[in-house]
Amino acid sequence: MTFRVMGIDPGLTRCGLAVVDIEPNRRSTLVAVGVVGTDAGQGLDQRLLVIAEAVDSWLDLHEPQALAVERVFSGTNISTVMGTAQATGAVIVSAARRGIPVALHTPTEVKAAVTGNGQADKVAVTKMVTKILRLDTPPRPADAADALALAITHAWRRGVGTQAAAATASITGGLVTPAQRLWAEAEARARRR
Amino acid sequence: MTFRVMGIDPGLTRCGLAVVDIEPNRRSTLVAVGVVGTDAGQGLDQRLLVIAEAVDSWLDLHEPQALAVERVFSGTNISTVMGTAQATGAVIVSAARRGIPVALHTPTEVKAAVTGNGQADKVAVTKMVTKILRLDTPPRPADAADALALAITHAWRRGVGTQAAAATASITGGLVTPAQRLWAEAEARARRR
């Protein structure tokens, strides 16, 4: 019943990669975390290939049931944003080729899901990811914390965000099934820790 | 000695694809032209997969020696720009996986290469592409003209843009070899037609 999600914080220079197992009660366990970096001195095609091949090998090794990728809308540096979008396209295709469903989540959605505050800073996100995954020390490298948070966010949002759950919630005005209540309680506990 | 180039005008909704053979004297011949379209109602992962698989099949069928892709910097609709950048990342990886070198050219570079005017409109570009490829009628669909122009631009710029040619030009202050003179004359003739 464990749901395995891979999270990717895309970027041409550094791409955070993470795999997390999430149980129905939302208990989340770190499977793998890392960063793939590319050299700005290489051509764009070689950089994107390095990223795609790293993602290929992670997908084949860990066989996640879903891929969650950070949705980037804008940024101060248009060149960085375009590179991030190109890397996003490359990694999405790697998952789609394997029939693995892909979801995009905004940074605000991720912060809200793991800390309860959509405006949380990186320190707060890293702290909550460390707690949620029951790690002794914050995940290293730091870039990878975002990828872990993405994977957790996707599983948690998917759990309470199904159409059936949404329909029930809109009819009753809240969470009603025992499973939904358990999830909400587990989430509340995780936030308090 | 023919140089085969695939050109791609990337986009999530419509992606122009073209393959052109270019001889050392710049004579250019249409090999294939088309458009791959995706439905906005599909998920991003499925749309990018459709594009990547179309490009895969064109690369395997036509075996181009280079891929030229339009370099997009900005646009009025950020969502469209991001989709275009994601499609760009997907198609670049398809080429890189096959060891096919990829080059990006800006719309201004393409317009300047095929019409002599970096500010040329679409009608002028289509007209020149039709002449350069010795077509009886303008290439259809219209979206594909940009992909053809990209392929032509890449081959032509590559021809006179090699390091050796650039070094010679900078030393002598101009075009000097017989081959370079022939190219320049052929290009001038193509523009006059």
Side-chain angles (χ1 to χ4, degrees):
Chain A
M1 294 298 291
T2 299
F3 187 57
R4 176 167 287 188
V5 183
M6 180 163 173
I8 299 185
D9 181 21
L12 265 187
T13 304
R14 289 174 76 85
C15 215
L17 310 175
V19 178
V20 177
D21 277 346
I22 295 104
E23 293 167 51
N25 68 358
R26 294 201 166 195
R27 183 182 165 96
S28 305
T29 306
L30 174 68
V31 176
V33 66
V35 165
V36 53
T38 69
D39 180 352
Q42 289 185 293
L44 177 63
D45 49 349
Q46 289 311 304
R47 300 180 77 182
L48 290 171
L49 181 60
V50 166
I51 292 167
E53 291 188 336
V55 171
D56 284 346
S57 69
W58 278 57
L59 293 173
D60 290 341
L61 180 64
H62 299 295
E63 298 185 335
Q65 290 155 274
L67 176 68
V69 186
E70 185 169 304
R71 183 194 297 272
V72 179
F73 282 113
S74 60
T76 48
N77 184 332
I78 184 68
S79 167
T80 301
V81 171
M82 298 303 280
T84 300
Q86 289 160 350
T88 299
V91 305
I92 287 176
V93 170
S94 285
R97 285 188 194 279
R98 290 164 175 76
I100 298 170
V102 179
L104 303 183
H105 299 289
T106 65
T108 301
E109 288 169 345
V110 173
K111 291 170 187 170
V114 300
T115 73
N117 171 13
Q119 307 305 315
D121 62 14
K122 272 188 177 291
V123 173
V125 171
T126 299
K127 193 173 165 185
M128 277 308 299
V129 166
T130 307
K131 285 188 180 180
I132 291 165
L133 297 174
R134 294 162 280 113
L135 305 176
D136 292 332
T137 56
R140 293 273 176 264
D143 305 54
D146 285 339
L148 288 165
L150 268 160
I152 295 165
T153 296
H154 179 67
W156 286 9
R157 283 174 63 100
R158 177 178 174 275
V160 296
T162 59
Q163 290 195 336
T168 307
S170 71
I171 291 167
T172 63
L175 300 169
V176 286
T177 72
Q180 286 171 345
R181 198 168 296 124
L182 279 174
W183 267 335
E185 288 168 6
E187 185 172 20
R189 274 198 302 278
R191 285 180 184 163
R192 278 197 302 272
R193 274 187 294 187
Chain B
M1 295 297 292
T2 299
F3 186 57
R4 176 166 288 189
V5 182
M6 179 162 175
I8 298 185
D9 181 22
L12 265 187
T13 305
R14 289 175 76 85
C15 215
L17 309 176
V19 179
V20 178
D21 277 345
I22 295 103
E23 293 167 50
N25 67 357
R26 294 201 166 195
R27 181 181 166 94
S28 306
T29 306
L30 173 69
V31 176
V33 66
V35 165
V36 53
T38 70
D39 180 352
Q42 288 186 295
L44 177 63
D45 50 348
Q46 289 311 304
R47 300 180 77 183
L48 290 171
L49 180 60
V50 166
I51 292 167
E53 290 187 336
V55 172
D56 285 345
S57 69
W58 278 57
L59 292 174
D60 290 340
L61 179 64
H62 300 295
E63 299 184 335
Q65 290 155 276
L67 176 67
V69 185
E70 185 170 303
R71 183 195 295 272
V72 178
F73 282 113
S74 61
T76 49
N77 183 334
I78 183 69
S79 168
T80 302
V81 172
M82 297 303 281
T84 301
Q86 288 160 350
T88 300
V91 305
I92 287 175
V93 170
S94 285
R97 286 187 193 279
R98 289 163 174 77
I100 298 170
V102 179
L104 302 184
H105 298 288
T106 65
T108 301
E109 288 169 345
V110 172
K111 291 170 186 171
V114 299
T115 74
N117 171 13
Q119 307 305 314
D121 63 13
K122 273 188 174 293
V123 174
V125 170
T126 299
K127 194 174 166 186
M128 276 310 299
V129 166
T130 307
K131 285 189 181 179
I132 291 166
L133 296 174
R134 294 161 280 114
L135 305 176
D136 293 332
T137 58
R140 292 272 176 265
D143 306 53
D146 285 340
L148 288 164
L150 268 160
I152 294 164
T153 296
H154 180 67
W156 285 9
R157 283 175 62 99
R158 177 178 174 277
V160 295
T162 59
Q163 290 195 337
T168 307
S170 70
I171 290 166
T172 64
L175 298 169
V176 287
T177 72
Q180 286 171 346
R181 200 169 293 124
L182 278 173
W183 267 335
E185 289 168 6
E187 183 171 23
R189 273 198 304 276
R191 285 181 184 162
R192 278 197 301 270
R193 271 188 294 189

